[in-house]
Amino acid sequence: MDLRQLRQFLALAETGSFSVAAERLHMAQPPLSVAIRKLEEELGTLLFVRSSRGVRLTAAGDAALKAARECLDAATHIKAAVQLAVAGESGTLAIGFSGSVTLRLLPRLVQAFRLGHPAVHLDLKEGTNLELLSRVEAGTLDLGFVRFPANRPPGLRFQLVEEDRFCLALPRGHALARKPAVALAALEDQPFIGYTPSPVGGLHAAMSLVFQRAGVAPRITQEAIQVQTALGLVASGLGMALVPAANTPYQRSSGAVFRPILDLPEDARIGIALVYRANTENPAVKRFLEITVEKIEGATTPVAGP
């Protein structure tokens, strides 16, 4: 028994006529008669009482009618579900993020995506750059918001979402906080909050490159994994820190003072990128990337890893 046979049975049951049912099914009457007979043989009972005036359902046929309709409805739902999944309009999208994006990017993009694709379930996981890149590469995450620049493992793609620059976060009352902007040379031997080194790059590598080019050696007193942690240590008076400037409007209550850096190299760019597998089989990834380009000014098209 297959769906074609069920459709033929349903057409005959609803029309009560082999000729009318055959016309509805766009087939000749004799093949329809043969198909119904084979279905009855397979089920081991008559489904119709035949007469010169047409056909009517037997008790067995009446019972089969409800089941056939339910089966065909289920098949229709299966087809619709598959089409939605293929189009990236259903299923699950696993997204990883670091603490920094929870202030701006994540709420904005998640809200826009949910409005446009309500049938896709979002599974959000927090982690470090290293964890997010590893999980995307392993396939346990579909997408990850990561600090950029970062090492680009083969097989991963990066879509730049937000380009940024470092600014200086200082404890309130620090002498340099009285200046409208601060030169890198003024940071020589100052107590500084650094970032934990990571094999995939990130803020530690970007900050180290800035100081190396400037020939400045601040005195690292503490290390943080996340920007929010660094700001908390700054507010506690344990040192100053380089932080992404995009964070400053959302961190006014942190207890830190923010100042631009006068001589930051032009190519000292940092930012946030979406990383995903080049061979991803989840169509919802494409839908999320499209929302990102649509909603975030300056978001780029994907770039490949080496």
Side-chain angles (χ1 to χ4, degrees), residues 18 40 46-51 54-59:
F18 274 101
E40 290 175 321
L46 290 177
L47 299 175
F48 297 96
V49 175
R50 285 111 169 133
S51 71
V55 298
R56 60 180 176 83
L57 289 167
T58 64

Side-chain angles (χ1 to χ4, degrees), residues 154-226:
L156 296 188
R157 297 290 181 268
F158 290 75
Q159 178 170 305
L160 188 61
V161 177
E162 178 181 82
E163 194 171 19
D164 201 356
R165 290 172 67 81
F166 279 125
C167 70
L168 183 65
L170 303 131
R172 295 189 185 277
H174 194 284
L176 291 177
R178 294 194 291 268
K179 296 178 176 292
V182 179
L184 286 170
L187 308 181
E188 179 72 32
D189 203 37
Q190 288 281 347
F192 224 83
I193 311 299
Y195 295 99
T196 303
S198 170
V200 297
L203 290 176
H204 172 81
M207 185 188 77
S208 299
L209 184 61
V210 167
F211 286 135
Q212 180 182 353
R213 289 184 177 179
V216 173
R219 181 162 44 90
I220 305 297
T221 59
Q222 302 286 336
E223 287 185 343
I225 296 176
Q226 304 283 9

Side-chain angles (χ1 to χ4, degrees), residues 15-281:
T15 62
S17 166
F18 274 101
S19 60
V20 176
E23 184 177 352
R24 177 195 288 188
L25 295 167
H26 304 291
M27 62 185 299
Q29 182 175 333
L32 176 60
S33 298
V34 172
I36 295 299
R37 180 67 66 187
K38 287 183 177 179
L39 179 60
E40 290 175 321
E41 291 173 356
E42 184 177 345
L43 294 174
T45 186
L46 290 177
L47 299 175
F48 297 96
V49 175
R50 285 111 169 133
S51 71
S52 59
R53 291 177 296 179
V55 298
R56 60 180 176 83
L57 289 167
T58 64
D62 193 54
L65 179 60
K66 180 180 178 181
R69 282 175 172 156
E70 291 175 350
C71 185
L72 290 171
D73 286 344
T76 300
H77 293 154
I78 291 171
K79 182 178 181 180
V82 169
Q83 290 173 336
L84 284 173
V86 169
E89 299 294 347
S90 68
T92 297
L93 186 63
I95 302 176
F97 64 95
S98 61
S100 298
V101 302
T102 59
L103 298 172
R104 312 171 316 281
L105 292 174
L106 190 67
R108 182 177 179 185
L109 292 177
V110 164
Q111 183 180 34
F113 184 82
R114 290 183 66 190
L115 286 173
H117 311 279
V120 179
H121 172 70
L122 296 181
D123 184 13
L124 304 178
K125 305 287 186 182
E126 187 173 9
T128 64
N129 251 29
L130 176 59
E131 291 169 342
L132 298 179
L133 285 168
S134 298
R135 291 175 189 175
V136 172
E137 191 172 18
T140 57
L141 286 176
D142 297 303
L143 287 165
F145 287 90
V146 296
R147 282 283 172 195
F148 198 80
N151 293 347
R152 302 181 186 179
L156 296 188
R157 297 290 181 268
F158 290 75
Q159 178 170 305
L160 188 61
V161 177
E162 178 181 82
E163 194 171 19
D164 201 356
R165 290 172 67 81
F166 279 125
C167 70
L168 183 65
L170 303 131
R172 295 189 185 277
H174 194 284
L176 291 177
R178 294 194 291 268
K179 296 178 176 292
V182 179
L184 286 170
L187 308 181
E188 179 72 32
D189 203 37
Q190 288 281 347
F192 224 83
I193 311 299
Y195 295 99
T196 303
S198 170
V200 297
L203 290 176
H204 172 81
M207 185 188 77
S208 299
L209 184 61
V210 167
F211 286 135
Q212 180 182 353
R213 289 184 177 179
V216 173
R219 181 162 44 90
I220 305 297
T221 59
Q222 302 286 336
E223 287 185 343
I225 296 176
Q226 304 283 9
V227 173
Q228 291 91 331
T229 305
L231 287 171
L233 296 174
V234 170
S236 300
L238 297 177
M240 58 187 73
L242 294 186
V243 299
N247 284 282
T248 59
Y250 306 89
Q251 299 286 356
R252 296 301 182 188
S253 61
S254 66
V257 176
F258 301 93
R259 295 291 180 265
I261 300 171
L262 286 171
D263 50 350
L264 194 68
E266 283 298 319
D267 60 349
R269 299 290 182 178
I270 56 176
I272 300 291
L274 273 171
V275 59
Y276 60 98
R277 294 182 305 283
N279 63 347
T280 179
E281 296 179 356

